[in-house]
Amino acid sequence: VYLIFEYSFVKHMMLSVLTLSALYAVKSQSLDCLSACIGPQLQTFLVKKDSSSYLGLSTGNRARVPRYPLAIFLAQVKSDIKVALTCGRTCGVPAVVRAGGHSYEDLSSMSNSLIIDISNVNAVSVFQNGTTYLANIDGGARLGRVYLSLWDAGGWSISAGLCPSVGVGGHISGGGKGMQSRKYGLAADQVVSMNVLLANGDEVVANSNSHSDLFWALRGGGAGSFGIV
């Protein structure tokens, strides 16, 4: 019985080592693929595990569960987001988008994934449409920046949350409850249109007239589930 147990134990150890080696090889190949696909011009914004900034960027700032993604891509402009998403799909690496990183379950950072950090895509502007004033807000903008920018643009505001470092993309597509919600509703209730990057790389405009089902889902049931806003 002892010899059978010993053989089984050694065999199990050998299989474990082989499995770990195979996984390491797959991860290494996937990372090489990502690096090649991202290209030399954007390589600076691809953070890998050997980078000194990796641990600080690998898990959201309010997360309770540590995550170890394959890499983190720091998008600088909107076009970078599509490049990263396409490369993740091409290389077989699941992509996870992160705006502010405030998900308590750390759903904006998953192990062995490619995190697409959009916090630098954060422009906020106000424009007039007839007699109505509308705000154009990038998904990576954080609430503090949104409030200040809207106020500076003419004393405007929106009904949303209190924490200034929460990313507006996840906040609004998750509903967006705040102190003014009793009177003005959720942040999601004030959205009239969304530019959405789908998992297949298609870019669509979702509103009450176009892709209305997606528009409905993203205002409360989104938070990274249906596309990148």
Side-chain angles (χ1 to χ4, degrees):
V1 175
Y2 173 77
L3 290 176
I4 295 175
F5 170 77
E6 184 182 52
Y7 172 75
S8 300
F9 178 69
V10 172
K11 183 179 180 181
H12 177 70
M13 286 187 63
M14 290 176 64
L15 287 173
S16 298
V17 171
L18 289 172
T19 301
L20 289 174
S21 298
L23 287 174
Y24 178 80
V26 169
K27 290 179 182 179
S28 180
Q29 291 172 3
S30 298
L31 188 57
D32 290 343
C33 178
L34 282 176
S35 296
C37 185
I38 291 293
Q41 292 184 333
L42 298 177
Q43 197 67 216
T44 306
F45 308 116
L46 185 65
V47 180
K48 306 173 186 178
K49 289 186 177 181
D50 58 357
S51 171
S52 59
S53 58
Y54 172 82
L55 287 179
L57 292 169
S58 61
T59 304
N61 56 12
R62 291 293 183 273
R64 300 174 181 176
V65 181
R67 305 288 194 190
Y68 302 99
L70 191 63
I72 304 104
F73 181 74
L74 307 175
Q76 303 299 302
V77 294
K78 293 178 183 177
S79 58
D80 292 349
I81 301 173
K82 186 171 184 177
V83 170
L85 181 65
T86 301
C87 288
R89 188 173 66 249
T90 299
C91 298
V93 180
V96 181
V97 65
R98 180 171 68 198
H102 273 256
S103 170
Y104 287 126
E105 298 88 354
D106 205 10
L107 300 179
S108 53
S109 175
M110 302 297 289
S111 294
N112 302 319
S113 69
L114 171 64
I115 297 177
I116 304 176
D117 189 301
I118 65 171
S119 58
N120 290 321
V121 184
N122 53 25
V124 180
S125 61
V126 176
F127 63 97
Q128 188 172 359
N129 182 21
T131 58
T132 303
Y133 285 87
L134 298 173
N136 190 5
I137 304 174
D138 284 349
R142 304 198 179 197
L143 289 180
R145 180 184 180 89
V146 171
Y147 291 142
L148 286 174
S149 298
L150 293 179
W151 181 260
D152 290 343
W156 304 103
S157 186
I158 60 172
S159 174
L162 294 175
C163 183
S165 59
V166 168
V168 71
H171 181 64
I172 290 181
S173 59
K177 186 177 181 181
M179 294 294 288
Q180 302 181 76
S181 292
R182 283 180 178 270
K183 184 174 184 178
Y184 297 106
L186 301 176
D189 296 329
Q190 303 165 73
V191 178
V192 296
S193 184
M194 292 180 172
N195 295 324
V196 187
L197 178 61
L198 303 178
N200 63 0
D202 289 346
E203 299 177 60
V204 300
V205 176
N207 53 42
S208 57
N209 298 316
S210 174
H211 300 281
S212 57
D213 53 347
L214 179 62
F215 184 55
W216 176 84
L218 283 171
R219 291 179 299 153
S225 299
F226 301 104
I228 301 176
V229 180

